[in-house]
Amino acid sequence: MHETNVTIITLIHLLGFQSPQSITYFLFFLFFIIYCMTICGNLLIITLVSYSKNLHSPMYIFLTQLAVSDILLATDILPNMVHAALVKVNRMSFTDCITQFYFFDVSEISECLLLTLMCYDRYLAICKPLHYSSIVNTHVCLKVIIVTWMLSISLVSFQILAITTLHFCGPNIIDHFFCDLAPLLELSCSDTTLVQLQVTLLSVFIGVVPFLIIIISYVYIIVTILQMSSVTGRQKAFSTCSSHLAVVSMYYGSLDCVYLVPTRRQSWNISKVLSLLYTVVTPLMNPIIYSLRNKEIKTAVEQMINDLKKII
């Protein structure tokens, strides 16, 4: 016999940051400006790599895909935050909540894999320069990128399929600013052990293993750079790696704290602040970090501006 008095959730109420009314418009404009800057910055990276032939290399091809992932993540999270900051009542249907989590998860997994690929690309370029062109080329990059996106979509689809087998009967309140998995599972009145086991295995596969690969790769990279006799060569090698290392440290640091540290050991407020780092700050900072510390991108910007002046 199935219980007939169980209420199925159809509407989700996101509490967000519960900011005071006095800073409502400040948060609205802040989130709106961050979203516009994120979209423009990442679109600029995609445009520059597509426009400049000097940027048609594996590293920059991977960077365009990272920009695509950041645009997907920002568009999935920030517009809803902008709306919530203004109206103070953040509600969405349960289907929309699952959809938001789906695109969030796809972008996060793809970003983890892309950062790992970019690190491996730097490892080959610095530690195996003679074999680099034979191992990595445009066709290989395109194939790897397709596999990366297909793997991300497949893993998330499998996870969503497991979630949809659960029964969600309340309460319908999520103490977060977006539909993340942990607070979503708290709304379920079913046994979530299997889903949580899948999440743990996925976190290890996507969060821990790539991070270890990155650490090991950078150990070899640093050792190789220190063995270089040329000071100019060392400076150039460090310069090409520093931007990627800064992004990896910020992204994986906050991501692992949220998903690998048990939620009972951290308050939801801390979890929400850490979540801001990889859902809002990282997509904004990625194009800034790669642009400010990259001479080739600066050169491409100057070239595009000069070409536009000639056309005008």
Side-chain angles (χ1 to χ4, degrees):
M1 295 286 293
H2 294 282
E3 294 183 5
T4 57
N5 58 344
V6 175
T7 304
I8 305 300
I9 294 177
T10 57
L11 194 66
I12 298 293
H13 182 199
L14 296 170
L15 294 182
F17 288 98
Q18 298 177 304
S19 58
Q21 187 68 31
S22 58
I23 62 171
T24 294
Y25 291 107
F26 170 76
L27 289 178
F28 170 78
F29 285 111
L30 176 64
F31 292 144
F32 179 74
I33 291 171
I34 288 176
Y35 179 63
C36 292
M37 291 178 62
T38 300
I39 297 301
C40 291
N42 284 287
L43 282 177
L44 178 62
I45 292 292
I46 296 172
T47 303
L48 287 174
V49 175
S50 302
Y51 178 80
S52 177
K53 293 182 180 180
N54 294 329
L55 300 181
H56 291 176
S57 63
M59 182 64 178
Y60 293 108
I61 293 174
F62 288 137
L63 184 57
T64 61
Q65 296 306 301
L66 192 66
V68 171
S69 178
D70 285 337
I71 290 173
L72 176 63
L73 179 60
T75 304
D76 186 47
I77 302 294
L78 275 168
N80 190 54
M81 292 178 66
V82 170
H83 177 261
L86 190 62
V87 301
K88 288 295 180 182
V89 179
N90 193 5
R91 294 191 180 97
M92 64 172 64
S93 68
F94 184 75
T95 302
D96 290 341
C97 186
I98 295 294
T99 303
Q100 185 186 53
F101 172 71
Y102 176 84
F103 286 106
F104 157 76
D105 216 13
V106 168
S107 63
E108 290 299 295
I109 292 176
S110 63
E111 188 137 352
C112 287
L113 297 176
L114 286 168
L115 287 173
T116 308
L117 290 172
M118 292 170 74
C119 177
Y120 183 67
D121 175 82
R122 291 301 84 198
Y123 164 77
L124 291 175
I126 294 173
C127 301
K128 307 286 184 181
L130 298 178
H131 303 283
Y132 179 79
S133 57
S134 61
I135 298 175
V136 183
N137 54 57
T138 304
H139 295 292
V140 171
C141 283
L142 294 177
K143 290 179 181 178
V144 170
I145 287 170
I146 292 173
V147 171
T148 297
W149 283 106
M150 289 181 64
L151 181 61
S152 302
I153 292 171
S154 300
L155 289 174
V156 176
S157 298
F158 181 73
Q159 195 172 17
I160 292 295
L161 185 62
I163 293 173
T164 54
T165 62
L166 302 176
H167 295 286
F168 293 87
C169 51
N172 68 335
I173 298 174
I174 290 182
D175 188 9
H176 216 320
F177 60 88
F178 72 101
C179 288
D180 203 359
L181 184 60
L184 187 61
L185 291 180
E186 290 188 356
L187 309 184
S188 175
C189 49
S190 304
D191 183 9
T192 60
T193 304
L194 181 59
V195 176
Q196 289 176 344
L197 178 60
Q198 292 175 354
V199 172
T200 302
L201 293 175
L202 184 62
S203 298
V204 172
F205 176 68
I206 297 298
V208 178
V209 174
F211 189 51
L212 290 176
I213 293 173
I214 290 173
I215 291 175
I216 294 171
S217 297
Y218 268 108
V219 169
Y220 281 102
I221 288 172
I222 292 172
V223 170
T224 303
I225 291 174
L226 293 176
Q227 291 176 346
M228 291 180 178
S229 57
S230 171
V231 176
T232 305
R234 286 201 298 268
Q235 290 177 344
K236 184 177 180 181
F238 271 122
S239 177
T240 58
C241 296
S242 58
S243 299
H244 180 259
L245 191 58
V247 171
V248 167
S249 300
M250 180 172 60
Y251 180 76
Y252 270 100
S254 57
L255 196 67
D256 289 345
C257 284
V258 172
Y259 290 101
L260 297 181
V261 177
T263 54
R264 293 179 182 178
R265 296 183 183 179
Q266 57 182 339
S267 67
W268 278 118
N269 288 331
I270 295 175
S271 179
K272 283 187 278 189
V273 171
L274 291 172
S275 297
L276 274 177
L277 291 178
Y278 62 82
T279 58
V280 177
V281 178
T282 301
L284 172 65
M285 294 303 297
N286 279 353
I288 295 175
I289 291 173
Y290 281 107
S291 300
L292 291 178
R293 299 186 60 86
N294 194 300
K295 293 182 180 179
E296 291 178 324
I297 289 183
K298 290 180 182 179
T299 302
V301 171
E302 293 174 358
Q303 179 187 347
M304 188 170 68
I305 292 174
N306 291 332
D307 290 345
L308 287 174
K309 287 180 179 179
K310 291 177 182 179
I311 295 174
I312 295 173

